[in-house]
């Protein structure tokens, strides 16, 4: 299975959700989490359930053939980036607990949801 890396900068005053810490972090640090395609699909289902009155952007389509094809993986990465950006730009999603957990929790923590 392919895991995709999500890297983002911590914002000033942002708490370290992944570590479960209540202390504030250095705003210059960036961090990464890893997600599989199925994690974006799961996030989408959580958001639709949690925000039933909102029109949630759709995730990229799943393709079952040639999953390891380099061109396919590069295109999927672009599509997942665009999908994640659309979610971050959505007023109801950007502050949603599930979206924030998706961006912050380690792979292992996310799998426990």
């Amino acid at each position: 299975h392919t895991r995709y890396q999500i890297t983002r900068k911590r914002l000033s005053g942002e708490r370290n959700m992944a570590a479960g810490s209540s202390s504030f972090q250095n705003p210059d640090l960036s961090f990464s989490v890893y997600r599989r395609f199925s994690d974006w699909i799961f996030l989408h289902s959580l958001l639709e359930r949690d925000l039933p009155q909102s029109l949630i952007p759709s995730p990229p389509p799943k393709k079952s053939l040639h999953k390891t094809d380099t061109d396919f993986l590069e295109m999927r990465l672009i599509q997942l980036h665009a999908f994640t950006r659309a979610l971050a730009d959505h007023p109801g999603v950007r502050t949603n607990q599930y979206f924030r957990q998706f961006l912050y929790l380690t792979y292992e923590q996310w799998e426990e949801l």
Side-chain angles (χ1 to χ4, degrees), residues 4 63 66-78:
Y4 300 92
K63 179 181 172 188
H66 305 99
K67 286 185 181 182
T68 58
D69 180 0
T70 303
D71 292 337
F72 168 73
L73 292 175
E74 288 177 13
M75 180 56 68
R76 177 168 275 175
L77 179 62
I78 291 167

Side-chain angles (χ1 to χ4, degrees), residues 6-9 11 40 43 47 57-60 77-91 93-94 99 102-103:
I6 301 172
T7 303
R8 66 181 298 262
K9 270 190 146 172
L11 302 175
W40 271 274
L43 171 64
L47 293 172
S58 296
L77 179 62
I78 291 167
Q79 292 171 334
L80 290 172
H81 181 268
F83 175 58
T84 305
R85 180 84 271 170
L87 292 175
D89 290 341
H90 187 287
V93 172
R94 77 171 60 112
F99 183 63
F102 181 80
L103 295 176

Side-chain angles (χ1 to χ4, degrees), residues 5-111:
Q5 181 178 4
I6 301 172
T7 303
R8 66 181 298 262
K9 270 190 146 172
R10 293 189 203 280
L11 302 175
S12 179
E14 197 170 271
R15 296 180 188 273
N16 185 353
M17 183 182 290
S21 169
S22 61
S23 63
F24 290 103
Q25 301 300 311
N26 182 337
D28 297 328
L29 297 178
S30 64
F31 66 98
S32 298
V33 294
Y34 295 88
R35 299 286 181 254
R36 294 173 47 193
F37 178 77
S38 59
D39 295 324
W40 271 274
I41 302 303
F42 180 59
L43 171 64
H44 185 260
S45 68
L46 290 173
L47 293 172
E48 284 189 320
R49 186 183 71 207
D50 203 42
L51 302 167
Q53 303 303 319
S54 296
L55 182 60
I56 307 298
S58 296
K62 181 173 180 156
K63 179 181 172 188
S64 60
L65 301 175
H66 305 99
K67 286 185 181 182
T68 58
D69 180 0
T70 303
D71 292 337
F72 168 73
L73 292 175
E74 288 177 13
M75 180 56 68
R76 177 168 275 175
L77 179 62
I78 291 167
Q79 292 171 334
L80 290 172
H81 181 268
F83 175 58
T84 305
R85 180 84 271 170
L87 292 175
D89 290 341
H90 187 287
V93 172
R94 77 171 60 112
T95 57
N96 180 273
Q97 66 175 342
Y98 296 120
F99 183 63
R100 295 184 57 77
Q101 289 172 337
F102 181 80
L103 295 176
Y104 286 90
L105 296 181
T106 65
Y107 182 76
E108 293 75 18
Q109 291 170 320
W110 175 255
E111 290 294 305

